[in-house]
Amino acid sequence: MLTAAHLACSRGERRLFADVSFSLAAGEWLHVQGENGAGKTSLLRLLVGLSPADAGEIRWRGALVGGMKTTPETVGFRRELLYLGHHAAVKDELDALENLRFSAAIDGLAFDQLKALAALRRLGLRGRESLPVRVLSAGQKRRVLLARLLTRTAAVWVLDEAFNALDGGAVQLLGALLNEHLAAGGVAVLTSHQPLPLPGGRVLAL
Amino acid sequence: MNLINWFRYASPQSFYPLAGRMIPLFWILALLFGAAGLWVSFFVAPTDAQQGEGYRIIFVHVPASWMSMVIYLAMAFWAGLGLALNTRLSSMMAQALAPTGALMAALSLITGAFWGKPMWGTWWVWDARLTSELILFFLYVGFIALQSAIDDPRRADKAGAILALIGVVNVPIIYFSVKWWNTLHQGSSINLTRAPSMAQTMLLGMLLMALAFWMYSIAVSLLRLRAIMLERERHSEWVKHALE
Amino acid sequence: MNALMAAARRDVLLALRRRADVLTAIFFFVMVVSLFPLGIGPEPALLKKIAPGVLWVAALLATLLGLPRLFHADYLDGTLEQMALSPSPLALLIAGKMLAHWLLCGLPLVILAPVLGLQFGLDAASLGMLSFSLLLGTPLLSLIGAMGAALTLGVRGGGVLLAVLVLPLYIPTLIFGAGAVAAESAGLGAEGHLSLLAALLALAVFFAPWATTAALRIALE
């Protein structure tokens, strides 16, 4: 479904990586590994189309989607893509439910309140749906963000350090979510410093 | 055939030596035109009936104003080309042109003030042209400030290009609005380049000086361009080779 | 259009949750305007003459005050990345943010300016023209300012740099806006000024979201 061929990327003078290729079929996931500064985040940003690659191409269901130009193909890709980066992308002033509602609005999707409430509950935020995110802990904020994995149906998950700031229970939960996603035929690209016990994994070391 | 040559020189590597060969030529031309222009403007051109000898500063003022506008257009053109085609050299060219353009705008403002003092008894008049020139100078300062505030040269080029293009759209609007403002607020606006009474030799002097300014601008921009090329590509093979 | 309204609604809601930012800009406007009579002296004829320029320059500066924040929070917390990856066109989302900026920063000035104009002894017709010229001009300030905010996003010395970039571009708006009020109080027609202001607004509505989007994508790279 998602293939990349001969990707290269440099930051300023420094070449981060070159000739990175991989291919993911439905139900497979890619574990991007590497030291700090090896270019994991750069690779992810390049895959989703936030920054341009120096060389190489990215295909989603056979159509070229790399690069930052807005074409029908990239819009189709973005519709099926969920990228969660380093940053929380959660507004402190809004409560969890409002955050999810505006995320959906930005994505141009109808908002299903019941689904969102169910997602927040599953992530252990029952009773905190209407508190401003400001008063939640770092881990709980992260969980608000992860609720998007449930409210937004996307075939590609691209998660950058998604396991950071999560406690043991949340790590297990995220693992379970990933399992369901892959079982339903989705693909995922993850960066993480810890080993992930998920089937169908491929490893890319930068 | 032409096309092939063009693209060959679009890479810094092959343009660097070419620019090096061109620079002395432009310096010589600048000196020749400058000497001729100064001679015409000081010894040949007649004394102005109304303005006396003081008017002779227009031989610097007017070419500097022209240059400041032409360079802004050229800068925006190269920056836009760099943005559209992602060619390194064009963006470097835009960056190399900016300080010269700012210098020309500043020169135009200073000579304008020197001219104003004997003519109108004041260093500064809110004349439409001078005011627009001042704003053009601000636009140059903004471009240079933005480019130097961004560390990543790629991002600096692109952001600078967008700013230059925004500037190009705005320069005519600004000029028109300032002119409009000027006619409303000062019934009898003083026109700096009152052409009809200008003698043939004055025009010749101005033309020669303008050519000298062109040649100087090209020479000095190429010089700066070579420095930028070396700095930006300092890790590449050709630079190591060129500096040996 | 849904995306535009959603982005605008979100920014307005956020601003209402932390009202201090909006109120600061409004009080800044009031204070700057009030400083001029203190600096120049309370002579009514002079105050009446400088009123349009003073109010317009103060509006310019008050708009500038909020601009560095326009994209900054969204840039830091990753919301801007999410917007760039949205299937909705980024330009529409950005236009929504511009709309919100005007509602929060421009519209209060439009409403407040006549009250301050009274302090300068402007007559009713000039006060009306002041509001109307600001109504046409402040969206222009938001649109042009957003381009500058996008270009200086995440750049060191961003706030000051933003002012250096944006203020020269504000000059035509200032000339036509303040000129309209001055023409009205001088008994001349202000139609020329207003139609030019409207033409600039039309140009900016078309051009600014596009340029801002391009600048933001560069900042995100």
Side-chain angles (χ1 to χ4, degrees):
Chain A
M1 277 164 93
L2 183 67
T3 57
H6 312 298
L7 292 177
C9 174
S10 51
R11 275 275 163 272
E13 303 283 344
R14 215 160 59 86
R15 165 127 308 191
L16 286 177
F17 51 81
D19 208 18
V20 166
S21 304
F22 64 84
S23 167
L24 292 178
E28 290 186 324
W29 66 281
L30 183 73
H31 190 175
V32 182
Q33 297 176 340
E35 295 163 13
N36 292 330
K40 299 186 294 294
T41 296
S42 296
L43 175 65
L44 260 49
R45 290 173 57 83
L46 201 142
L47 278 178
V48 297
L50 277 172
S51 56
D54 290 349
E57 58 175 42
I58 300 156
R59 284 177 186 277
W60 169 247
R61 299 192 199 275
L64 268 182
V65 292
M68 299 159 63
K69 294 221 164 52
T70 304
T71 61
E73 288 79 23
T74 54
V75 172
F77 178 52
R78 283 176 199 163
R79 206 159 272 141
E80 297 187 87
L81 168 74
L82 181 58
Y83 167 70
L84 300 184
H86 271 298
H87 305 297
V90 165
K91 289 288 174 195
D92 279 350
E93 291 84 356
L94 305 178
D95 65 41
L97 210 53
E98 285 168 331
N99 265 303
L100 290 177
R101 174 178 295 130
F102 281 115
S103 294
I106 285 172
D107 290 338
L109 300 172
F111 181 68
D112 183 345
Q113 179 143 349
L114 289 177
K115 202 171 160 190
L117 281 171
L120 288 173
R121 260 169 223 163
R122 180 150 181 217
L123 281 153
L125 293 168
R126 179 192 287 273
R128 295 188 173 78
E129 299 94 340
S130 312
L131 288 176
V133 171
R134 183 168 11 97
V135 304
L136 302 183
S137 72
Q140 285 173 324
K141 258 185 222 180
R142 214 53 213 174
R143 288 171 185 236
V144 174
L145 181 68
L146 292 178
R148 290 192 64 202
L149 295 173
L150 285 166
T151 55
R152 165 99 199 257
T153 22
V156 198
W157 288 3
V158 178
L159 311 181
D160 198 359
E161 304 290 357
F163 290 88
N164 279 9
L166 293 182
D167 57 25
V171 169
Q172 273 191 343
L173 183 60
L174 180 54
L177 291 179
L178 274 164
N179 241 329
E180 290 167 25
H181 172 66
L182 297 172
V187 296
V189 180
L190 313 173
T191 64
S192 166
H193 289 293
Q194 56 208 87
L196 301 172
L198 290 169
R202 289 157 179 268
V203 172
L204 176 69
L206 288 179
Chain B
M1 189 60 199
N2 261 333
L3 203 68
I4 296 164
N5 276 336
W6 175 255
F7 277 111
R8 191 169 112 71
Y9 287 114
S11 88
Q13 190 171 350
S14 41
F15 191 73
Y16 182 82
L18 178 71
R21 281 199 302 278
M22 276 160 29
I23 289 170
L25 179 73
F26 284 111
W27 276 126
I28 291 167
L29 285 174
L31 284 176
L32 286 179
F33 283 125
L38 285 175
W39 181 68
V40 169
S41 50
F42 273 108
F43 300 110
V44 180
T47 307
D48 189 90
Q50 294 170 338
Q51 309 186 13
E53 301 291 349
Y55 88 94
R56 289 185 198 274
I57 198 144
I58 62 164
F59 291 113
V60 177
H61 174 76
V62 174
S65 314
W66 284 346
M67 262 346 272
S68 65
M69 287 176 237
V70 169
I71 290 178
Y72 197 88
L73 286 181
M75 187 180 89
F77 169 77
W78 287 116
L81 202 66
L83 187 66
L85 302 180
N86 209 5
T87 44
R88 289 172 295 165
L89 188 59
S90 347
S91 302
M92 293 184 205
M93 198 90 102
Q95 198 195 341
L97 281 167
T100 307
L103 176 75
M104 290 296 162
L107 194 63
S108 157
L109 288 172
I110 294 167
T111 52
F114 280 158
W115 191 18
K117 188 62 183 165
M119 294 305 132
W120 313 303
T122 163
W123 291 107
W124 182 261
V125 280
W126 287 98
D127 162 81
R129 279 163 206 260
L130 271 182
T131 311
S132 311
E133 194 67 48
L134 181 65
I135 299 166
L136 185 63
F137 179 66
F138 290 158
L139 291 179
Y140 274 120
V141 170
F143 180 86
I144 296 171
L146 179 65
Q147 282 222 317
S148 53
I150 303 176
D151 292 323
D152 176 21
R154 251 198 327 196
R155 191 187 157 192
D157 282 343
K158 290 183 182 175
I162 291 182
L163 183 66
L165 292 175
I166 293 171
V168 155
V169 174
N170 272 280
V171 162
I173 298 175
I174 291 172
Y175 179 70
F176 174 71
S177 66
V178 170
K179 228 178 134 174
W180 165 284
W181 160 82
N182 187 248
T183 48
L184 281 186
H185 289 268
Q186 287 180 308
S188 60
S189 138
I190 311 132
N191 205 336
L192 289 193
T193 46
R194 202 167 27 201
S197 64
M198 207 188 283
Q200 209 73 36
T201 42
M202 289 188 192
L203 210 62
L204 178 70
M206 203 122 62
L207 213 64
L208 284 170
M209 287 304 285
L211 281 171
F213 272 66
W214 267 92
M215 296 304 137
Y216 162 80
S217 302
I218 294 173
V220 93
S221 305
L222 285 178
L223 202 63
R224 200 174 290 119
L225 180 62
R226 268 166 64 99
I228 294 170
M229 280 189 224
L230 289 185
E231 194 193 339
R232 288 223 196 153
E233 315 232 324
R234 59 186 174 277
H235 296 296
S236 67
E237 275 308 308
W238 74 265
V239 169
K240 284 173 195 150
H241 198 70
L243 289 181
E244 265 165 18
Chain C
M1 266 318 168
N2 274 339
L4 191 155
M5 291 318 292
R9 227 185 357 254
R10 174 177 158 283
D11 272 24
V12 170
L13 185 63
L14 281 172
L16 292 181
R17 294 270 161 95
R18 52 174 176 216
R19 260 166 248 136
D21 288 355
V22 177
L23 291 177
T24 311
I26 294 170
F27 277 115
F28 176 82
F29 177 63
V30 175
M31 281 177 196
V32 169
V33 170
S34 313
L35 284 180
F36 277 86
L38 295 175
I40 294 170
E43 196 205 323
L46 181 64
L47 286 184
K48 195 176 169 190
K49 188 158 167 44
I50 62 165
V54 166
L55 283 156
W56 258 95
V57 169
L60 233 69
L61 296 178
T63 314
L64 208 55
L65 211 58
L67 280 177
R69 280 194 307 269
L70 180 53
F71 298 117
H72 197 249
D74 285 346
Y75 176 65
L76 285 188
D77 70 15
T79 307
L80 213 51
E81 285 179 354
Q82 294 296 332
M83 287 185 167
L85 293 179
S86 158
S88 328
L90 182 56
L92 271 187
L93 295 169
I94 297 308
K97 286 185 72 68
M98 289 167 163
L99 175 65
H101 181 262
W102 178 72
L103 286 174
L104 295 164
C105 194
L107 196 58
L109 302 186
V110 175
I111 295 163
L112 213 55
V115 182
L116 295 172
L118 280 175
Q119 292 186 316
F120 284 74
L122 287 179
D123 52 64
S126 305
L127 289 176
M129 184 52 68
L130 179 65
S131 268
F132 191 62
S133 69
L134 280 170
L135 189 64
L136 274 179
T138 43
L140 204 49
L141 299 182
S142 294
L143 288 164
I144 298 172
M147 295 196 283
L151 283 171
T152 54
L153 190 56
V155 170
R156 80 183 112 81
V160 185
L161 187 59
L162 176 62
V164 170
L165 298 191
V166 162
L167 282 176
L169 302 177
Y170 275 176
I171 289 168
T173 315
L174 171 67
I175 288 175
F176 298 133
V181 186
E184 179 68 38
S185 51
L188 308 163
E191 289 84 9
H193 290 93
L194 292 178
S195 45
L196 285 167
L197 212 50
L200 285 186
L201 182 57
L203 191 69
V205 164
F206 172 75
F207 190 72
W210 176 81
T212 308
T213 306
L216 285 175
R217 285 209 187 268
I218 292 168
L220 283 175
E221 242 176 59

